[in-house]
Amino acid sequence: YTELAKVPVLFRERVCEECNYSTPTFYRKMRGIDRRIEGKLVQVLSNAEKGKIREIAEEVTNGLFTYIFGVEEK
């Protein structure tokens, strides 16, 4: 339970560190949806940010998998 409870915090901290976000910015970006401003679609997350967040999610998930099962997922 304790390790599972750490996962969202670790994920948030890693994203904030890698993307140079403050904690409020992290929550605003994660909650945000793409929207139109003056008729143009404005993405909340850039493609680079999306890619980095996917990498971090995989890293955190693999770490949890290793902790639980004692082996690294391939």
Side-chain angles (χ1 to χ4, degrees):
Y1 171 79
T2 303
E3 290 304 310
L4 286 174
K6 290 179 185 177
V7 170
V9 174
L10 177 60
F11 175 74
R12 184 193 71 229
E13 288 174 349
R14 292 281 295 121
V15 170
C16 287
E17 178 183 317
E18 291 292 326
C19 296
N20 198 27
Y21 294 165
S22 65
T23 300
T25 298
F26 169 83
Y27 284 110
R28 182 173 37 81
K29 290 221 179 211
M30 294 303 112
R31 175 180 74 234
I33 58 172
D34 295 343
R35 61 189 185 279
R36 291 197 176 274
I37 297 178
E38 297 180 10
K40 294 184 180 182
L41 185 63
V42 177
Q43 294 182 344
V44 174
L45 294 171
S46 70
N47 290 335
E49 289 169 322
K50 289 176 186 177
K52 182 52 79 175
I53 290 168
R54 282 187 193 105
E55 288 176 20
I56 294 168
E58 185 175 332
E59 175 188 315
V60 171
T61 302
N62 287 341
L64 181 61
F65 187 87
T66 301
Y67 176 79
I68 292 171
F69 297 107
V71 294
E72 288 190 33
E73 185 179 42
K74 303 234 173 188

